[in-house]
Amino acid sequence: MVYVTLIGAILAEVLGTTAMKYSDGFSKLWPSLATAASYTIAFVLLAQTLKTMAVGTTYAIWSGVGTAAIAVIGIVFIGESVSTAKIAGILLVIVGVMLLNLGSAH
């Protein structure tokens, strides 16, 4: 169940960050409200996750997966540039999260 709340926190954070992009510096009402609501949900779910999961592992997964997802969303849906360095960075984030999880399994 802990991974379900963590996945929910990640999805809410990714939605909030994407909405923030469309809020135009919080000058557009609906994307601004979506950002606030999404981040509230993300932090509530993250707090629930922290009741039973180590903070380092939780934060590594939450921030790493969120960062990689937002980078991909930026490239695929928002039209941000793609480069070999950007792809390598995304892959390194994913590998880093995996290594932190392996290290916390002991």
Side-chain angles (χ1 to χ4, degrees):
M1 186 64 179
V2 68
Y3 283 100
V4 173
T5 57
L6 182 54
I7 290 167
I10 293 166
L11 292 174
E13 187 267 336
V14 168
L15 177 63
T17 302
T18 304
M20 191 184 309
K21 170 68 177 167
Y22 291 105
S23 76
D24 197 28
F26 294 115
S27 65
K28 294 182 180 174
L29 178 63
W30 294 113
S32 299
L33 291 176
T35 299
S38 295
Y39 270 99
T40 299
I41 292 166
F43 285 121
V44 167
L45 292 173
L46 190 63
Q48 294 303 309
T49 302
L50 288 170
K51 286 182 177 180
T52 56
M53 187 181 272
V55 68
T57 302
T58 302
Y59 193 73
I61 295 169
W62 184 69
S63 62
V65 173
T67 299
I70 286 298
V72 170
I73 287 168
I75 292 166
V76 174
F77 296 107
I78 301 175
E80 294 179 357
S81 66
V82 62
S83 66
T84 303
K86 190 176 277 191
I87 298 299
I90 293 168
L91 293 174
L92 286 171
V93 167
I94 293 167
V95 169
V97 168
M98 291 169 53
L99 289 173
L100 283 168
N101 281 315
L102 289 173
S104 67
H106 300 300

